[in-house]
Amino acid sequence: AQTVTQSQPEMSVQEAETVTLSCTYDTSESDYYLFWYKQPPSRQMILVIRQEAYKQQNATENRFSVNFQKAAKSFSLKISDSQLGDAAMYFCAYRSAGGVKIIFGKGTRLHILP
Amino acid sequence: GAGVSQSPRYKVAKRGQDVALRCDPISGHVSLFWYQQALGQGPEFLTYFQNEAQLDKSGLPSDRFFAERPEGSVSTLKIQRTQQEDSAVYLCASSLDADIYGYTFGSGTRLTVV
């Protein structure tokens, strides 16, 4: 069975600085998707970034980028120029390429210090 | 509608009471998912519909949980004889094509069983 592990329950970063959230996963599959979701107090899960496992190039979305290390089964999220609105829970997630279920980690709460 | 709508936003139930949680997916989305998010945890898969067919209910924790989507649009998650361990946020998500468009989540229903 696939598992997703986030080892940092909470992190803090100064506004305008850069922060990296860690995620490792376990799978025997070769084709899958990885995601980072943001969950603000409104509770809605918002997709931040997604990575296809077959793509070697790391995904980027504006201030958000990932470091995808397939052999190490590592998928970290880097947030550059942190803003107050980035404060939220961040979940790393996995989905098999041929499946529909998303498997989430336990989340990392990110605090932005003004 | 523009997004996935869930109601009620909050529900307090006395232990032993039956509850019904509603999800209105985005119009035209064929896939619909229910997730359970306990306090301080990541969401966990409950069940999945494609149109009106419930294709996977492997995540439903007990036979007290029942989900339906009779006309392939609105879905209801019913919990009978609620227990304290059922307290959680119940998230609904819908998708037109997960590989292309991903999932859109609602803001969830927070259920508290007292």
Side-chain angles (χ1 to χ4, degrees):
Chain A
Q2 296 86 16
T3 58
V4 177
T5 302
Q6 293 179 253
S7 58
Q8 304 153 316
E10 290 195 58
M11 290 195 71
S12 296
V13 63
Q14 209 75 34
E15 194 176 3
E17 296 295 309
T18 296
V19 64
T20 299
L21 308 184
S22 301
C23 172
T24 58
Y25 60 95
D26 191 27
T27 184
S28 58
E29 299 172 334
S30 60
D31 199 9
Y32 48 86
Y33 299 92
L34 295 166
F35 309 89
W36 279 97
Y37 280 91
K38 172 184 178 181
Q39 188 177 43
S42 67
R43 300 199 301 253
Q44 185 181 18
M45 300 289 272
I46 301 165
L47 179 65
V48 174
I49 200 165
R50 119 176 176 168
Q51 174 82 41
E52 289 89 346
Y54 64 86
K55 290 186 178 178
Q56 292 189 338
Q57 187 173 7
N58 290 324
T60 63
E61 287 288 341
N62 301 312
R63 297 183 295 109
F64 299 87
S65 61
V66 297
N67 184 3
F68 173 47
Q69 301 289 327
K70 191 172 185 179
K73 295 181 183 174
S74 169
F75 184 63
S76 61
L77 174 69
K78 185 172 81 171
I79 306 174
S80 303
D81 184 26
S82 298
Q83 300 176 1
L84 294 177
D86 295 334
M89 285 290 292
Y90 285 82
F91 292 93
C92 181
Y94 171 103
R95 180 170 70 86
S96 300
V100 295
K101 293 183 196 179
I102 299 176
I103 299 166
F104 290 89
K106 291 190 174 183
T108 296
R109 183 173 298 282
L110 179 64
H111 303 276
I112 310 296
L113 307 174
Chain B
V4 177
S5 177
Q6 293 189 246
S7 60
R9 185 158 173 79
Y10 300 93
K11 176 69 178 177
V12 178
K14 291 185 178 179
R15 192 171 54 180
Q17 186 179 356
D18 296 349
V19 298
L21 312 180
R22 178 186 170 105
C23 173
D24 276 275
I26 293 174
S27 179
H29 279 197
V30 298
S31 299
L32 184 144
F33 306 83
W34 284 97
Y35 283 81
Q36 179 190 57
Q37 186 176 16
L39 187 64
Q41 303 293 316
E44 293 192 355
F45 172 83
L46 292 177
T47 187
Y48 158 59
F49 290 85
Q50 187 165 325
N51 295 306
E52 69 278 4
Q54 189 174 20
L55 298 186
D56 189 338
K57 55 181 181 179
S58 62
L60 296 177
S62 76
D63 58 7
R64 296 186 296 104
F65 287 71
F66 172 76
E68 61 182 5
R69 193 186 186 198
E71 297 178 359
S73 54
V74 171
S75 177
T76 304
L77 177 66
K78 298 179 179 178
I79 309 173
Q80 297 177 322
R81 305 181 302 282
T82 52
Q83 300 178 6
Q84 283 193 318
E85 60 261 32
D86 300 334
S87 295
V89 172
Y90 290 86
L91 292 167
C92 177
S94 70
S95 177
L96 180 60
D97 183 318
D99 289 349
I100 299 174
Y101 304 108
Y103 301 81
T104 302
F105 282 82
S107 294
T109 295
R110 181 180 296 280
L111 172 65
T112 303
V113 181
V114 297

